[in-house]
Amino acid sequence: MKVLVTGGAGFIGSHIVDLLIEKSYQVTVVDNLSSGKRENVNTQADLVVKDIRDNDLINLFEILRPDYVIHQAAQVSVPRSLNDPLEDAQTNILGLINVLECCRKTGVRKVVFASSAAVYGNPEYLPVDESHPCNPLSPYGISKHTASYYFKIYQELYGLDYDVLRYANVYGPRQDHLGEGGVVTIFINKLLAGEQPVIFGDGNQTRDFVYVGDVARANVIGMEASGCQVVNISTGKEVTVNELYGTIKDELGSKMAPAYSQPRAGDIYRSCLDNSAARKMLGWQPEILLGEGIKKTISFFHNIRLT
Ligand code: NAD
């Protein structure tokens, strides 16, 4: 079976590619390497350096004839989407439509899509389930939410199956540590460098941290499942930023206290996604506890610093 992974040179996409290769799928990655890296791509996968907005993307689909598409490529930054909403929409909406058109024209069976907790906006209750109202607070959240309407329409009009996976805060090896990165990556790399990490606000704000290997598994399970699902991919557990910091600091044996600064404008105070639907509809559940995931992530960044 042939799988095309867009954004497969990126953080989450490259873990999906590794899992697909492990399961003996024939994998092609399409990535413009804007934030992804060539070295992230499994050597047994083919990498095509290409933008998902390119008019001739169809030529690649016609040659490859993939059975499935896992669509991870995106403009991934909320702040950047606020600064440049046009660029966000060009990749996250027009790029998506280009991919969907290619899928429709070449008979792809199913598309799995990387959506986000950002579609929900400020939680009206916790944990947030899939029936929670969608009130995105940024162009990024709007583009991820808009995508789900396109999936619905393509299923109704052309019978193209899909899963929309709404990820919580994903962390793990290969998350960008030079760019915006996630908070786990930032804390680890600051502490490894002997620098003091900054916590915005009082540190009692919560997030739902899900390990990248669990997210990759959800994508492959979704791809192999029949029908269409819109589900949260999360741990369903709220962890404060102070607790997260403590876990990382203890694991590294560091005594460094964090610095505290003003909360960032627009940051949600509490965030946690209910994962009951993914458990029920996909038979997926997270397997890596936070402490274990932090260990794996530290070991990855530690090794990078040694090479
Ligand atoms: P990432 O930046 O590591 O991966 C995105 C990949 O897409 C990169 O390899 C990049 O080069 C590629 N890309 C970007 N624009 C492209 C284009 N126009 N054409 C071709 N390739 C392009 O980010 P990530 O964290 O791995 O995110 C993967 C997906 O998961 C994204 O859709 C993101 O919105 C979503 N997501 C991530 C998180 C998280 O916590 N990391 C949470 C929710 C949703």
Side-chain angles (χ1 to χ4, degrees):
M1 289 280 191
K2 290 184 273 184
V3 187
L4 190 151
V5 182
T6 71
F11 163 49
I12 301 170
S14 64
H15 286 271
I16 296 171
V17 171
D18 288 345
L19 187 55
L20 288 167
I21 296 283
E22 210 179 295
K23 297 194 77 176
S24 302
Y25 284 99
Q26 196 181 322
V27 183
T28 303
V29 168
V30 173
D31 198 303
N32 68 357
L33 302 181
S34 54
S35 60
K37 298 184 191 84
R38 207 175 271 279
E39 60 266 30
N40 282 347
V41 181
N42 192 299
T43 51
Q44 290 174 59
D46 292 322
L47 168 64
V48 180
V49 179
K50 189 154 200 57
D51 199 296
I52 55 162
R53 295 167 290 186
D54 287 352
N55 287 334
D56 64 356
L57 186 67
I58 185 67
N59 296 343
L60 181 66
F61 272 71
E62 275 170 352
I63 295 166
L64 285 172
R65 297 263 155 194
D67 298 285
Y68 301 105
V69 169
I70 298 191
H71 184 45
Q72 302 292 307
Q75 186 303 108
V76 300
S77 159
V78 170
R80 224 180 301 150
S81 80
L82 289 159
N83 289 335
D84 193 348
L86 259 182
E87 188 221 350
D88 182 87
Q90 275 158 359
T91 295
N92 293 6
I93 299 180
L94 295 182
L96 166 78
I97 299 172
N98 200 24
V99 170
L100 284 175
E101 277 295 279
C102 294
C103 292
R104 169 176 84 81
K105 289 176 183 162
T106 58
V108 169
R109 294 182 189 193
K110 185 167 185 176
V111 186
V112 183
F113 175 65
S115 185
S116 163
V119 301
Y120 295 118
N122 273 318
E124 292 177 10
Y125 56 85
L126 289 164
V128 170
D129 58 20
E130 293 79 359
S131 329
H132 187 285
C134 288
N135 292 312
L137 302 172
S138 64
Y140 172 77
I142 294 173
S143 66
K144 289 290 179 184
H145 186 42
T146 303
S148 58
Y149 290 104
Y150 279 98
F151 281 108
K152 191 162 173 290
I153 282 290
Y154 270 72
Q155 207 291 324
E156 284 166 10
L157 294 177
Y158 313 117
L160 177 62
D161 278 353
Y162 64 89
D163 281 344
V164 169
L165 306 184
R166 293 175 175 163
Y167 306 160
N169 287 70
V170 188
Y171 73 97
R174 300 188 197 137
Q175 192 160 28
D176 185 14
H177 67 294
L178 298 172
E180 301 191 39
V183 64
V184 172
T185 298
I186 294 169
F187 285 170
I188 291 175
N189 282 285
K190 283 275 179 196
L191 288 175
L192 284 174
E195 293 166 13
Q196 187 179 36
V198 176
I199 291 179
F200 298 103
D202 62 7
N204 289 321
Q205 66 270 40
T206 62
R207 295 291 179 265
D208 180 334
F209 296 103
V210 62
Y211 185 68
V212 66
D214 282 331
V215 175
R217 210 164 33 77
N219 274 274
V220 177
I221 290 173
M223 182 191 90
E224 290 171 342
S226 54
C228 304
Q229 278 81 219
V230 178
V231 293
N232 293 336
I233 298 300
S234 66
T235 65
K237 294 197 178 81
E238 266 185 285
V239 174
T240 70
V241 172
N242 284 330
E243 283 164 350
L244 173 76
Y245 184 77
T247 308
I248 294 173
K249 183 173 72 82
D250 293 349
E251 190 55 42
L252 283 168
S254 165
K255 298 258 178 286
M256 180 87 78
Y260 287 89
S261 84
Q262 290 300 309
R264 280 189 306 197
D267 267 1
I268 290 170
Y269 197 62
R270 289 177 66 190
S271 178
C272 181
L273 300 186
D274 188 325
N275 63 22
S276 322
R279 287 174 187 264
K280 198 168 146 207
M281 297 204 277
L282 292 180
W284 171 90
Q285 59 178 21
E287 289 177 351
I288 305 292
L289 295 174
L290 185 66
E292 195 185 341
I294 294 291
K295 268 194 191 134
K296 288 173 186 277
T297 312
I298 287 176
S299 147
F300 171 80
F301 285 116
H302 194 67
N303 289 339
I304 281 197
R305 297 179 81 83
L306 295 177
T307 53

